[in-house]
PDB file of all heavy atoms in Angstrom:
ATOM      1  N   ILE A 349      -3.763  -0.543  10.365  1.00  0.00           N
ATOM      2  CA  ILE A 349      -4.098   0.849   9.956  1.00  0.00           C
ATOM      3  C   ILE A 349      -3.215   1.316   8.815  1.00  0.00           C
ATOM      4  O   ILE A 349      -3.824   1.841   7.862  1.00  0.00           O
ATOM      5  CB  ILE A 349      -3.891   1.814  11.189  1.00  0.00           C
ATOM      6  CG1 ILE A 349      -4.838   1.430  12.356  1.00  0.00           C
ATOM      7  CG2 ILE A 349      -4.171   3.188  10.763  1.00  0.00           C
ATOM      8  CD1 ILE A 349      -4.643   2.218  13.634  1.00  0.00           C
ATOM      9  N   ILE A 350      -1.974   1.176   8.934  1.00  0.00           N
ATOM     10  CA  ILE A 350      -1.121   1.615   7.764  1.00  0.00           C
ATOM     11  C   ILE A 350      -1.375   0.699   6.576  1.00  0.00           C
ATOM     12  O   ILE A 350      -1.181   1.097   5.412  1.00  0.00           O
ATOM     13  CB  ILE A 350       0.385   1.493   8.222  1.00  0.00           C
ATOM     14  CG1 ILE A 350       1.267   2.232   7.124  1.00  0.00           C
ATOM     15  CG2 ILE A 350       0.805   0.087   8.417  1.00  0.00           C
ATOM     16  CD1 ILE A 350       0.989   3.683   7.113  1.00  0.00           C
ATOM     17  N   GLY A 351      -1.821  -0.558   6.836  1.00  0.00           N
ATOM     18  CA  GLY A 351      -2.197  -1.429   5.684  1.00  0.00           C
ATOM     19  C   GLY A 351      -3.282  -1.004   4.832  1.00  0.00           C
ATOM     20  O   GLY A 351      -3.269  -1.044   3.670  1.00  0.00           O
ATOM     21  N   VAL A 352      -4.365  -0.499   5.554  1.00  0.00           N
ATOM     22  CA  VAL A 352      -5.525   0.084   4.842  1.00  0.00           C
ATOM     23  C   VAL A 352      -5.117   1.325   3.971  1.00  0.00           C
ATOM     24  O   VAL A 352      -5.448   1.356   2.804  1.00  0.00           O
ATOM     25  CB  VAL A 352      -6.627   0.481   5.901  1.00  0.00           C
ATOM     26  CG1 VAL A 352      -7.725   1.281   5.163  1.00  0.00           C
ATOM     27  CG2 VAL A 352      -7.231  -0.755   6.471  1.00  0.00           C
ATOM     28  N   ILE A 353      -4.276   2.164   4.485  1.00  0.00           N
ATOM     29  CA  ILE A 353      -3.772   3.296   3.724  1.00  0.00           C
ATOM     30  C   ILE A 353      -2.980   2.803   2.471  1.00  0.00           C
ATOM     31  O   ILE A 353      -3.120   3.345   1.437  1.00  0.00           O
ATOM     32  CB  ILE A 353      -2.945   4.203   4.592  1.00  0.00           C
ATOM     33  CG1 ILE A 353      -3.884   4.928   5.688  1.00  0.00           C
ATOM     34  CG2 ILE A 353      -2.257   5.333   3.802  1.00  0.00           C
ATOM     35  CD1 ILE A 353      -3.100   5.863   6.672  1.00  0.00           C
ATOM     36  N   SER A 354      -2.185   1.822   2.782  1.00  0.00           N
ATOM     37  CA  SER A 354      -1.307   1.274   1.690  1.00  0.00           C
ATOM     38  C   SER A 354      -2.029   0.682   0.543  1.00  0.00           C
ATOM     39  O   SER A 354      -1.639   0.782  -0.568  1.00  0.00           O
ATOM     40  CB  SER A 354      -0.299   0.226   2.315  1.00  0.00           C
ATOM     41  OG  SER A 354       0.513   0.858   3.262  1.00  0.00           O
ATOM     42  N   VAL A 355      -3.218   0.076   0.879  1.00  0.00           N
ATOM     43  CA  VAL A 355      -4.035  -0.478  -0.216  1.00  0.00           C
ATOM     44  C   VAL A 355      -4.497   0.583  -1.213  1.00  0.00           C
ATOM     45  O   VAL A 355      -4.428   0.518  -2.386  1.00  0.00           O
ATOM     46  CB  VAL A 355      -5.214  -1.212   0.327  1.00  0.00           C
ATOM     47  CG1 VAL A 355      -6.246  -1.607  -0.740  1.00  0.00           C
ATOM     48  CG2 VAL A 355      -4.730  -2.520   1.033  1.00  0.00           C
ATOM     49  N   GLY A 356      -4.954   1.687  -0.591  1.00  0.00           N
ATOM     50  CA  GLY A 356      -5.320   2.831  -1.468  1.00  0.00           C
ATOM     51  C   GLY A 356      -4.248   3.455  -2.162  1.00  0.00           C
ATOM     52  O   GLY A 356      -4.253   3.909  -3.340  1.00  0.00           O
ATOM     53  N   MET A 357      -3.098   3.530  -1.509  1.00  0.00           N
ATOM     54  CA  MET A 357      -1.815   4.112  -2.122  1.00  0.00           C
ATOM     55  C   MET A 357      -1.362   3.258  -3.250  1.00  0.00           C
ATOM     56  O   MET A 357      -0.879   3.734  -4.275  1.00  0.00           O
ATOM     57  CB  MET A 357      -0.735   4.132  -1.140  1.00  0.00           C
ATOM     58  CG  MET A 357       0.549   4.898  -1.594  1.00  0.00           C
ATOM     59  SD  MET A 357       0.318   6.674  -1.870  1.00  0.00           S
ATOM     60  CE  MET A 357       0.416   7.140  -0.131  1.00  0.00           C
ATOM     61  N   THR A 358      -1.614   1.923  -3.225  1.00  0.00           N
ATOM     62  CA  THR A 358      -1.169   0.981  -4.301  1.00  0.00           C
ATOM     63  C   THR A 358      -1.853   1.421  -5.592  1.00  0.00           C
ATOM     64  O   THR A 358      -1.153   1.449  -6.760  1.00  0.00           O
ATOM     65  CB  THR A 358      -1.540  -0.408  -3.913  1.00  0.00           C
ATOM     66  OG1 THR A 358      -0.923  -0.767  -2.673  1.00  0.00           O
ATOM     67  CG2 THR A 358      -1.038  -1.363  -5.009  1.00  0.00           C
ATOM     68  N   PHE A 359      -3.120   1.673  -5.633  1.00  0.00           N
ATOM     69  CA  PHE A 359      -3.792   2.101  -6.878  1.00  0.00           C
ATOM     70  C   PHE A 359      -3.250   3.359  -7.441  1.00  0.00           C
ATOM     71  O   PHE A 359      -3.054   3.459  -8.680  1.00  0.00           O
ATOM     72  CB  PHE A 359      -5.276   2.228  -6.594  1.00  0.00           C
ATOM     73  CG  PHE A 359      -6.030   0.943  -6.419  1.00  0.00           C
ATOM     74  CD1 PHE A 359      -6.146   0.321  -5.211  1.00  0.00           C
ATOM     75  CD2 PHE A 359      -6.571   0.354  -7.494  1.00  0.00           C
ATOM     76  CE1 PHE A 359      -6.819  -0.935  -5.064  1.00  0.00           C
ATOM     77  CE2 PHE A 359      -7.309  -0.819  -7.384  1.00  0.00           C
ATOM     78  CZ  PHE A 359      -7.360  -1.508  -6.170  1.00  0.00           C
ATOM     79  N   VAL A 360      -2.981   4.287  -6.544  1.00  0.00           N
ATOM     80  CA  VAL A 360      -2.354   5.584  -7.058  1.00  0.00           C
ATOM     81  C   VAL A 360      -1.089   5.432  -7.674  1.00  0.00           C
ATOM     82  O   VAL A 360      -0.801   5.943  -8.749  1.00  0.00           O
ATOM     83  CB  VAL A 360      -2.388   6.599  -5.858  1.00  0.00           C
ATOM     84  CG1 VAL A 360      -1.653   7.899  -6.404  1.00  0.00           C
ATOM     85  CG2 VAL A 360      -3.745   6.927  -5.416  1.00  0.00           C
ATOM     86  N   ILE A 361      -0.186   4.656  -7.049  1.00  0.00           N
ATOM     87  CA  ILE A 361       1.186   4.499  -7.540  1.00  0.00           C
ATOM     88  C   ILE A 361       1.136   3.588  -8.805  1.00  0.00           C
ATOM     89  O   ILE A 361       1.967   3.891  -9.745  1.00  0.00           O
ATOM     90  CB  ILE A 361       2.127   3.918  -6.459  1.00  0.00           C
ATOM     91  CG1 ILE A 361       2.107   4.936  -5.295  1.00  0.00           C
ATOM     92  CG2 ILE A 361       3.493   3.570  -7.022  1.00  0.00           C
ATOM     93  CD1 ILE A 361       3.100   4.435  -4.113  1.00  0.00           C
ATOM     94  N   ILE A 362       0.275   2.639  -8.824  1.00  0.00           N
ATOM     95  CA  ILE A 362       0.254   1.766 -10.095  1.00  0.00           C
ATOM     96  C   ILE A 362      -0.104   2.700 -11.269  1.00  0.00           C
ATOM     97  O   ILE A 362       0.380   2.529 -12.478  1.00  0.00           O
ATOM     98  CB  ILE A 362      -0.784   0.631  -9.883  1.00  0.00           C
ATOM     99  CG1 ILE A 362      -0.243  -0.410  -9.011  1.00  0.00           C
ATOM    100  CG2 ILE A 362      -1.064   0.072 -11.215  1.00  0.00           C
ATOM    101  CD1 ILE A 362      -1.216  -1.541  -8.734  1.00  0.00           C
ATOM    102  N   ALA A 363      -0.921   3.709 -11.021  1.00  0.00           N
ATOM    103  CA  ALA A 363      -1.286   4.582 -12.113  1.00  0.00           C
ATOM    104  C   ALA A 363      -0.266   5.624 -12.435  1.00  0.00           C
ATOM    105  O   ALA A 363      -0.515   6.616 -13.273  1.00  0.00           O
ATOM    106  CB  ALA A 363      -2.699   5.195 -11.735  1.00  0.00           C
ATOM    107  N   GLY A 364       0.807   5.582 -11.732  1.00  0.00           N
ATOM    108  CA  GLY A 364       1.918   6.530 -11.996  1.00  0.00           C
ATOM    109  C   GLY A 364       1.744   7.789 -11.138  1.00  0.00           C
ATOM    110  O   GLY A 364       2.467   8.839 -11.401  1.00  0.00           O
ATOM    111  N   GLY A 365       0.955   7.853 -10.114  1.00  0.00           N
ATOM    112  CA  GLY A 365       0.775   8.934  -9.278  1.00  0.00           C
ATOM    113  C   GLY A 365       1.462   8.807  -7.935  1.00  0.00           C
ATOM    114  O   GLY A 365       2.210   7.833  -7.706  1.00  0.00           O
ATOM    115  N   ILE A 366       1.198   9.713  -7.069  1.00  0.00           N
ATOM    116  CA  ILE A 366       1.683   9.697  -5.669  1.00  0.00           C
ATOM    117  C   ILE A 366       0.706  10.499  -4.793  1.00  0.00           C
ATOM    118  O   ILE A 366       0.077  11.506  -5.299  1.00  0.00           O
ATOM    119  CB  ILE A 366       3.156  10.214  -5.601  1.00  0.00           C
ATOM    120  CG1 ILE A 366       3.756   9.871  -4.265  1.00  0.00           C
ATOM    121  CG2 ILE A 366       3.078  11.815  -5.762  1.00  0.00           C
ATOM    122  CD1 ILE A 366       4.166   8.410  -4.225  1.00  0.00           C
ATOM    123  N   ASP A 367       0.471  10.120  -3.518  1.00  0.00           N
ATOM    124  CA  ASP A 367      -0.330  10.852  -2.608  1.00  0.00           C
ATOM    125  C   ASP A 367       0.439  11.042  -1.275  1.00  0.00           C
ATOM    126  O   ASP A 367       0.581  10.085  -0.532  1.00  0.00           O
ATOM    127  CB  ASP A 367      -1.633  10.104  -2.396  1.00  0.00           C
ATOM    128  CG  ASP A 367      -2.630  11.066  -1.705  1.00  0.00           C
ATOM    129  OD1 ASP A 367      -2.276  12.052  -1.106  1.00  0.00           O
ATOM    130  OD2 ASP A 367      -3.866  10.620  -1.763  1.00  0.00           O
ATOM    131  N   LEU A 368       0.871  12.254  -1.066  1.00  0.00           N
ATOM    132  CA  LEU A 368       1.616  12.624   0.192  1.00  0.00           C
ATOM    133  C   LEU A 368       0.621  13.067   1.355  1.00  0.00           C
ATOM    134  O   LEU A 368       1.137  13.313   2.336  1.00  0.00           O
ATOM    135  CB  LEU A 368       2.667  13.686  -0.054  1.00  0.00           C
ATOM    136  CG  LEU A 368       3.698  13.383  -1.085  1.00  0.00           C
ATOM    137  CD1 LEU A 368       4.602  14.609  -1.300  1.00  0.00           C
ATOM    138  CD2 LEU A 368       4.464  12.211  -0.773  1.00  0.00           C
ATOM    139  N   SER A 369      -0.604  13.162   1.019  1.00  0.00           N
ATOM    140  CA  SER A 369      -1.599  13.832   1.990  1.00  0.00           C
ATOM    141  C   SER A 369      -2.380  12.794   2.806  1.00  0.00           C
ATOM    142  O   SER A 369      -3.102  13.205   3.759  1.00  0.00           O
ATOM    143  CB  SER A 369      -2.584  14.642   1.182  1.00  0.00           C
ATOM    144  OG  SER A 369      -3.380  13.821   0.349  1.00  0.00           O
ATOM    145  N   VAL A 370      -2.228  11.514   2.585  1.00  0.00           N
ATOM    146  CA  VAL A 370      -3.103  10.535   3.301  1.00  0.00           C
ATOM    147  C   VAL A 370      -2.885  10.615   4.836  1.00  0.00           C
ATOM    148  O   VAL A 370      -3.927  10.393   5.536  1.00  0.00           O
ATOM    149  CB  VAL A 370      -2.885   9.138   2.844  1.00  0.00           C
ATOM    150  CG1 VAL A 370      -3.382   8.898   1.355  1.00  0.00           C
ATOM    151  CG2 VAL A 370      -1.347   8.798   2.736  1.00  0.00           C
ATOM    152  N   GLY A 371      -1.719  10.793   5.336  1.00  0.00           N
ATOM    153  CA  GLY A 371      -1.560  10.920   6.781  1.00  0.00           C
ATOM    154  C   GLY A 371      -2.297  12.090   7.368  1.00  0.00           C
ATOM    155  O   GLY A 371      -2.958  11.978   8.367  1.00  0.00           O
ATOM    156  N   SER A 372      -2.137  13.243   6.747  1.00  0.00           N
ATOM    157  CA  SER A 372      -2.848  14.486   7.196  1.00  0.00           C
ATOM    158  C   SER A 372      -4.349  14.356   7.049  1.00  0.00           C
ATOM    159  O   SER A 372      -5.122  14.817   7.955  1.00  0.00           O
ATOM    160  CB  SER A 372      -2.362  15.736   6.485  1.00  0.00           C
ATOM    161  OG  SER A 372      -0.905  15.902   6.703  1.00  0.00           O
ATOM    162  N   VAL A 373      -4.807  13.771   5.953  1.00  0.00           N
ATOM    163  CA  VAL A 373      -6.260  13.584   5.698  1.00  0.00           C
ATOM    164  C   VAL A 373      -6.790  12.667   6.841  1.00  0.00           C
ATOM    165  O   VAL A 373      -7.926  12.858   7.303  1.00  0.00           O
ATOM    166  CB  VAL A 373      -6.523  13.001   4.321  1.00  0.00           C
ATOM    167  CG1 VAL A 373      -7.949  12.563   4.220  1.00  0.00           C
ATOM    168  CG2 VAL A 373      -6.137  14.024   3.296  1.00  0.00           C
TER     169      VAL A 373
END
Side-chain angles (χ1 to χ4, degrees):
I349 297 176
I350 193 66
V352 169
I353 294 179
S354 299
V355 170
M357 184 72 75
T358 302
F359 284 88
V360 172
I361 296 180
I362 288 177
I366 198 75
D367 192 344
L368 301 178
S369 66
V370 286
S372 296
V373 170

